[in-house]
Each structure stands twice: as C-alpha cells, then as structure tokens.
Amino acid sequence: MTAIVEIDGQTGRLVLSGQFDFSAHRDFRQACDDVLGKEGVREVLVDFQQVDYLDSSALGMLLLLKEKASAAGKSLALVNCRDTVRQVLEIACFGKIFTIR
Amino acid sequence: MKILLADDAEVVRLMIGRFVESLGHELLLASDGVEAVERCVAFQPDMVLMDMLMPRMDGPEAGREIKIRMGERWVPIILVTAVEEVGKLADAMEIGADDYLLKPVNFRILEAKIKAIERTVALNRKVREQSAKLAEYYDRAEEEKRVARHLMEQLVSHERLSDPQLHYWIAPAESLSGDLVAAARTPGQVMHLMLADGIGHGLTAALNVLPLTQPFYAMTERGFTLTDILTEMHRKVRQVLPTGRFVALAFVAVDFVNCRIEVWNGGIPELRLFDEQGGLLKRWPSRHLPLGILPVDALDLETERHTFQGRGNLVLCSDGLLEARNDAGEAFGLSRLALACAGWPAEEALDRTITSLSDFLAGAHCHDDVSLAIVDIDPAAVRPLPEPTGLERVPQMPSEARWRYSMSLGPDELRSLHTVPLIMGFVNQVRPLANHHADIFLILTELFVNALDHGLLQLSSSLKRDADGMEQYLLERSLRLAALREGRIEVELAGYDLAGRTMLVVRVSDSGQGFDSAWLGAPDVRRPSGRGITLVRALCASLHYFGNGNTVEACYLPRDAS
C-alpha cells in the first residue's frame, strides 16, 4: 500500500492505494504523523478510492488515527469507500464512531 | 587482527612479518602448509598470508584445508607468490584462496589489501552475529508460541465445547488462532455460544481473545445472562487491550426449553438461521461495534430475539471464511456458505462446508483465521422433565438447620443485583450441593422470578403466550422494575442434615399482594407460563405456598449422583 498526503487549504487528504493491511503499518503511521503535523490542517480525510481491500488490522490503525486526530483537535472523515471497503466498515459498525462519506 | 604468515623462506617471513607487525597486527608464523593448517586450527587467525609453493603441502592445498577446518567461520586467504601463471592462480582461487599478491611484494599494496580484508571481515562478523541473533529470536518465538498454544488450548478447553447441539471448526492462518469459539450451558441449560475474532492473527490475536474465556465460562456456569456476561467481557477487554486493538464478537444464547434464540452481534458477519429445507428464516447482521472500542458504559447491549418452532441450523462464521480467496482472487462468500450448509443435518452441514471451502481454494492459502460454528436448533433437544420425586414422606426434619443463608432486598438491590447468580456463587461452594447446581438454579430462578415479576411487579403471565408477547412482557418488566419504589423480597436457603444427606430448603417471600396459587394445581406443560413451577414441583420433595401466595417454600433433596 502507498499513502500520499495532499494538502488543500485546511484539508489534509490521506490518499491510500492498494491493500490496506498490517504491512501498511509503517507507511500509514508516517503519513498520519505528516498530515497531523501540518499546522493549518483542520480536517483530515482518509481517501479509500484506490483501496481494494482492508482487514481488521487496518481498522485498528484507523482507531489509532482517530485518537491522534482528536487529541490534535482535528476532524476526521473516511471518504470514497468502495463496496468491499464499505462492507468491512459496515460489519464492524464503524459508522457509529467515524464520519463515512 | 591476528594474521598468520606461512612461507618456507625465512627472509620473506622476516620482511613481511615485520611489516605486518608494524601495522599493529598480531603475527603468527608457519614454515609450510601442514604447519599453516595446524596453527590456523590452534590460534584461529583473522586472515592468512601464504606462499604458493611450500614443502609438505602447497599453498592452494593448505588453503582448501583451512577453509574446510574453519567451517562457517570465514578466514580470508591471500596467496603471496612469484608464480605469475594465470591458470595456476585461477585454480588456487577456485579451491580456496580469496586473493593473491605478486612477489616481490609491494608494501603499499599489501597494506591496502589487509585494510580491505579487515573491512570485509568486520562486515562478515556482523552478518554472522546478526544471523545468530535472528536464529535465537526465532527459537524464542517458537518456544513462546508453543507455550501460548498450550495455554490457549487449556483455556479454551475442547471438552467444554462438546455440546451435542454444537458443531464447530477452526482453522488458524498461522500456528495460533485469533478466532475463538466457546460454548457452555447455564445451570438452566441455556446454551451460550460465542464466536470471537481478535484483530490480526498469530500470537497477538490469540492474546486479544484470551481475556474473554474466563468471564464467559465462569459467569455462564453461575447463570448470568448474555448481557451481563457481555458487559463483563467488554470491561475486561477495555482493561487489557491498547487502543487500536479490539475483538469482534457474536454472542448467542439458545434456550431450547422456551424455543428462543437471543443474539448480540458486534462486528461478526451476519448470523443466519436456516430451516430444515434450507430456507433462510432469520438474519442477524452486525449491529454493534466490536468489544474494546467504546468506553465501558457506552456499550450498546441491545440483543435481538427470535422464537423458533421447527428444526434448523444456526450458522456463525468469521470473516476469514467468507473472505478466503482462491487463486483467481474470488472470495468464498455467503452464497457458497449457504449452498454448502443450509438444509442438511448440522454435523453434515459442517463437513460439507469444510469440503466446499477446500474444493474452492484448491490448495490456495487462507490469509486469515477461519472459524465456523453450526448450532443444531432442535426443539426436541430438551432435557426431559424429571420424574416427580414423590418423597412426600420426608423423614422428620431436625429442628436446627446446619446453616442458613438469607438476604433481604429492596427496590435498588432488585434493580442492580444479579440475585440468582449471586446465590449460586454460594451454592457452588456448599459441597453436598455443588453437583446439583443445575436443579438448584432452576428452583431459585423460578421462585425468585415469580416473586419479582408476579408478586412485586404485578405482571401477567398471559402476556408471554406468543413470540411478540414475550418482547412486550420483557419491555413492560424493565419499565416496571425501573419505576419500583417500594417492596421487598426475602430469600432464605437453609441446609438440614437428613441421615447423612443434605436437604435444602428454599424460602422466598415478597411483599406483594400475593396470588391465587390454586391454578397451579392443574399445570399444563405446553403452556409457557406455569411450566416453570411444574418443573420445580417435579424437582422438589415438596412445594408449599403460604399466606396469600406471596411466600413459597421448596424442600429439595438432591437425587443420587447417578
């Protein structure tokens, strides 16, 4: 998986692509720290457009990001989830604690 | 470095030796090949400078011997020679030498070569150290896995899973499974089943699910309900797991006596109930977040109930089964699962599913733990009513009880205490009664629930007649319990010695208006209400109501252990 950070004004977008599982741990953490470290960013979007698969470790990483984002006072949303990703998020009922768009 | 110099010419040994020592290295000398090999073995030099032509054993031959004797330890060998014949030099390098230097020796080049070798030796040593460390890590990890696997097996305990109504299968992706299937019966014979899926797989995933087993088994044994156990498991998981770790879990309670299935699903693919023809009767999709994510008091405990009439299969599985992919990248999926297991006897359904998955994968490897549980929902699988013991001629009871255990509960306690499991904690420790805790649980539950529901809360049993009625009954019950301002229930247990046997007397009284116990005289076992009391009467030596029906006394004489 690759994780690219795009900044547009107050919005930081984390564009992920490929398989989001435990092997993405390091890249994801790096990208999270990058985007949360940007002073002007108020909102973080995790973009799943190019993610074809995610597993439970990925869900764990999202929980960690959520905690870090709220500690940094930034809002967080998961965007562009396609079918397989949406399904996993639905089974885990992540809609109850994440904004999914 | 420790450098061995082998040359039959003393003048060479002197000249090169002095130079080597002047560079600060430790020098060892040998005057022929045989001696070179011996000294290598004895003193383990870091590198060897060796003449090509020597008596007894020549340089290339000695080089090969040294390489063999040193085994895994790499000792670089440089031939120092006047031989300029390319073929011979190449042969020597092929059988063991690492480099060569032509005589007369240019000291500037010799120094550079020694330095280059020194760098390589250091690198080589580092690699060896690291690989030794890696091997050690590997061994340690294997040992830890072995211990963890043993622990898991002990805690999960396969014997406890041997329920006649349950058929299950777990296939770990690695040596340890992060999926857990646990099943046990409450003292009231309600089957509790959980399928848990820890995040990831291997050791950490297995560790994630471990905290669940203890509350599951201990609390089921004492007759706690699904929601009580869930609360405790969630508390445990929150307590021990770090952020980002959680456990997806489905908890099922199957009450074969009352033909009810109750389900709580947090993060497990939907549970499905198929009838005997394979038709889909009911689905329980995940409605909750997995355990360990929300704060302790934010857990949503709402369960979904279903009343069954006929026989069928309740199917639970982890996402590892549905997402198992073949080489073409296709997932096994819900429809293949349904095709394999719906409409077959439960045990066969399990086998068919395993076979179907293995055919589908055709040797491809599963990347996640796979677990599957099928409950044979059989309305006939009910423990038969015990024969009435008919011991009306109970021998004269001694006036003095050996022990008494009593409690008096007001509205707050009735709302917050789990009274029957609490008393069961005591009963399980009274040795003569411990083996009969299922009977005692039933007696206590019936008498206590009657006192609370009908005595204090004034609920009518007629509500319970049909499936919807039950929901309504439970809703009404929780509303009235929350609103209860006054009232009291007294429970007393007393143990009497009866010619070496223990007689248990349970007395429950409530401060309610009482009821006419006469209708209990003609019980109908098919009627949902009153069945409980019939069962209690069958288990007990005697059952009497006093006053206006708000005090009841049951004498229970444990049947022989048979």
Side-chain angles (χ1 to χ4, degrees):
Chain A
M1 191 197 79
T2 59
I4 297 162
V5 175
E6 290 172 1
I7 305 292
D8 179 11
Q10 299 198 327
T11 302
R13 187 178 286 266
L14 252 152
V15 184
L16 313 179
S17 61
Q19 297 219 339
F20 190 8
D21 54 22
F22 188 73
S23 61
H25 198 256
R26 209 181 265 252
D27 287 348
F28 184 73
R29 193 182 49 194
Q30 182 63 48
C32 288
D33 291 349
D34 265 12
V35 74
L36 291 174
K38 298 273 191 294
E39 291 252 329
V41 170
R42 309 294 324 141
E43 181 189 35
V44 176
L45 304 179
V46 186
D47 191 330
F48 286 91
Q49 181 71 47
Q50 294 160 65
V51 174
D52 40 39
Y53 169 79
L54 89 166
D55 72 354
S56 58
S57 329
L59 297 179
M61 289 181 240
L62 289 175
L63 287 174
L64 280 170
L65 170 61
K66 180 175 183 280
E67 195 175 76
K68 282 187 190 170
S70 66
K74 298 176 195 227
S75 74
L76 177 68
L78 314 181
V79 300
N80 295 330
C81 308
R82 295 185 308 171
D83 286 355
T84 41
V85 169
R86 186 170 288 275
Q87 237 169 42
V88 174
L89 293 173
E90 257 167 34
I91 289 179
C93 290
F94 265 38
K96 293 189 179 193
I97 47 170
F98 283 94
T99 308
I100 300 176
R101 296 207 289 261
Chain B
M1 281 202 300
K2 205 191 277 181
I3 297 175
L4 173 74
L5 172 63
D7 202 310
D8 55 334
E10 196 182 347
V11 56
V12 176
R13 290 205 298 270
L14 211 64
M15 255 171 46
I16 298 183
R18 284 245 171 97
F19 180 70
V20 164
E21 280 179 318
S22 77
L23 292 176
H25 298 294
E26 187 185 336
L27 184 70
L28 298 166
L29 291 172
S31 55
D32 62 39
V34 174
E35 204 180 335
V37 173
E38 284 169 6
R39 308 216 96 192
C40 258
V41 173
F43 299 102
Q44 308 267 319
D46 298 303
M47 70 177 282
V48 179
L49 296 170
M50 193 151 56
D51 190 13
M52 201 144 160
L53 300 170
M54 288 184 293
R56 296 211 286 170
M57 188 189 276
D58 68 12
E61 189 57 33
R64 178 165 71 177
E65 193 65 26
I66 288 168
K67 292 277 176 181
I68 293 169
R69 298 286 192 93
M70 291 294 124
E72 279 193 16
R73 185 164 179 271
W74 181 64
V75 186
I77 296 170
I78 297 179
L79 294 173
V80 184
T81 177
V83 176
E84 281 187 64
E85 210 178 306
V86 174
K88 281 195 175 160
L89 285 169
D91 286 347
M93 304 251 308
E94 266 174 19
I95 67 170
D98 296 279
D99 201 353
Y100 66 89
L101 197 59
L102 292 178
K103 283 182 188 170
V105 172
N106 176 317
F107 285 111
R108 178 80 185 79
I109 293 288
L110 177 62
E111 182 179 357
K113 282 218 163 148
I114 290 175
K115 277 189 181 151
I117 291 273
E118 199 165 16
R119 285 196 297 272
T120 315
V121 165
L123 202 65
N124 189 272
R125 193 164 296 159
K126 204 165 170 186
V127 169
R128 276 166 47 99
E129 273 168 17
Q130 279 171 353
S131 77
K133 213 179 259 178
L134 213 58
E136 195 184 307
Y137 279 141
Y138 179 81
D139 289 347
R140 201 181 305 163
E142 284 301 301
E143 173 62 10
E144 276 174 2
K145 254 192 248 171
R146 190 186 67 82
V147 174
R149 194 159 46 221
H150 178 82
L151 259 170
M152 281 289 283
E153 278 161 14
Q154 291 308 304
L155 285 166
V156 172
S157 176
H158 292 275
E159 304 137 50
R160 293 208 250 190
L161 277 165
S162 64
D163 191 298
Q165 302 312 118
L166 172 67
H167 305 276
Y168 76 100
W169 178 62
I170 296 182
E174 289 172 15
S175 61
L176 277 163
S177 175
D179 282 6
L180 171 85
V181 174
R185 295 276 185 142
T186 67
Q189 294 300 304
V190 173
M191 177 201 253
H192 280 179
L193 167 67
M194 71 168 170
L195 188 146
D197 183 354
I199 191 171
H201 31 260
L203 182 58
T204 46
L207 283 175
N208 286 347
V209 296
L210 273 189
L212 301 177
T213 56
Q214 201 265 338
F216 178 83
Y217 285 118
M219 292 178 76
T220 297
E221 191 170 283
R222 284 174 64 180
F224 282 93
T225 61
L226 181 158
T227 48
D228 296 334
I229 301 176
L230 210 51
T231 308
E232 179 59 20
M233 291 199 294
H234 183 239
R235 211 179 56 75
K236 262 237 149 96
V237 170
R238 282 287 295 182
Q239 195 185 350
V240 300
L241 293 188
T243 309
R245 291 274 166 181
F246 56 81
V247 181
L249 179 123
F251 198 132
V252 179
V254 186
D255 182 343
F256 289 96
V257 175
N258 295 302
C259 293
R260 265 208 303 276
I261 302 174
E262 188 178 4
V263 171
W264 186 92
N265 183 357
I268 296 291
E270 67 177 28
L271 279 56
R272 296 172 148 205
L273 176 65
F274 297 99
D275 64 21
E276 271 191 298
Q277 283 69 45
L280 183 61
L281 284 177
K282 169 94 180 145
R283 311 180 312 135
W284 286 273
S286 161
R287 297 230 187 274
H288 305 281
L289 282 158
L291 292 190
I293 294 177
L294 293 171
V296 173
D297 47 9
L299 188 69
D300 181 356
L301 292 165
E302 197 185 330
T303 61
E304 289 179 82
R305 292 191 190 80
H306 173 79
T307 307
F308 57 87
Q309 267 106 37
R311 194 166 179 175
N313 286 341
L314 174 64
V315 181
L316 300 77
C317 70
S318 63
D319 56 1
L321 175 67
L322 301 177
E323 280 168 19
R325 275 166 208 282
N326 62 12
D327 282 335
E330 223 179 326
F332 186 67
L334 271 172
S335 50
R336 278 191 189 83
L337 172 64
L339 197 67
C341 71
W344 299 87
E347 191 169 6
E348 206 175 326
L350 187 88
D351 291 344
R352 284 174 48 89
T353 310
I354 297 169
T355 311
S356 166
L357 177 68
S358 127
D359 290 350
F360 171 76
L361 289 176
H365 176 71
C366 279
H367 295 284
D368 199 357
D369 301 321
V370 171
S371 56
L372 171 68
I374 301 181
V375 185
D376 180 3
I377 300 293
D378 182 0
V382 178
R383 210 169 55 142
L385 282 178
E387 289 295 312
T389 43
L391 262 174
E392 288 302 332
R393 270 179 289 112
V394 172
Q396 188 62 47
M397 285 230 286
S399 55
E400 206 46 51
R402 252 175 87 107
W403 53 260
R404 281 180 197 281
Y405 176 95
S406 68
M407 54 174 67
S408 176
L409 309 165
D412 281 343
E413 293 70 37
L414 291 169
R415 267 188 289 276
S416 63
L417 288 185
H418 302 289
T419 311
V420 176
L422 183 71
I423 301 175
M424 287 312 293
F426 166 78
V427 169
N428 286 343
Q429 294 190 42
V430 177
R431 197 170 299 170
L433 300 179
N435 285 333
H436 305 277
H437 71 288
D439 288 353
I440 298 168
F441 175 80
L442 212 149
I443 296 166
L444 281 170
T445 304
E446 282 305 326
L447 300 185
F448 183 79
V449 166
N450 276 347
L452 182 61
D453 289 14
H454 307 314
L456 286 191
L457 301 179
Q458 300 285 302
L459 285 158
S460 162
S461 308
S462 58
L463 264 179
K464 283 194 264 186
R465 290 238 168 89
D466 56 56
D468 287 345
M470 194 65 210
E471 292 293 323
Q472 217 186 321
Y473 180 89
L474 292 171
L475 181 70
E476 189 60 35
R477 181 182 193 275
S478 67
L479 288 176
R480 292 196 191 182
L481 184 58
L484 190 68
R485 286 292 160 266
E486 52 189 32
R488 187 158 281 282
I489 291 180
E490 321 263 345
V491 183
E492 185 186 86
L493 274 68
Y496 292 87
D497 253 349
L498 230 61
R501 294 171 75 191
T502 293
M503 162 83 96
L504 172 70
V505 176
V506 180
R507 195 179 171 95
V508 178
S509 54
D510 64 78
S511 61
Q513 295 165 11
F515 70 106
D516 176 14
S517 58
W519 64 272
L520 290 167
D524 170 4
V525 283
R526 296 257 50 102
R527 193 173 58 188
S529 56
R531 190 178 190 279
I533 287 300
T534 312
L535 200 57
V536 172
R537 201 186 285 283
L539 285 170
C540 291
S542 68
L543 182 76
H544 293 297
Y545 282 86
F546 298 100
N548 54 4
N550 57 4
T551 294
V552 60
E553 188 180 88
C555 295
Y556 173 72
L557 195 57
R559 285 162 296 164
D560 290 330
S562 62

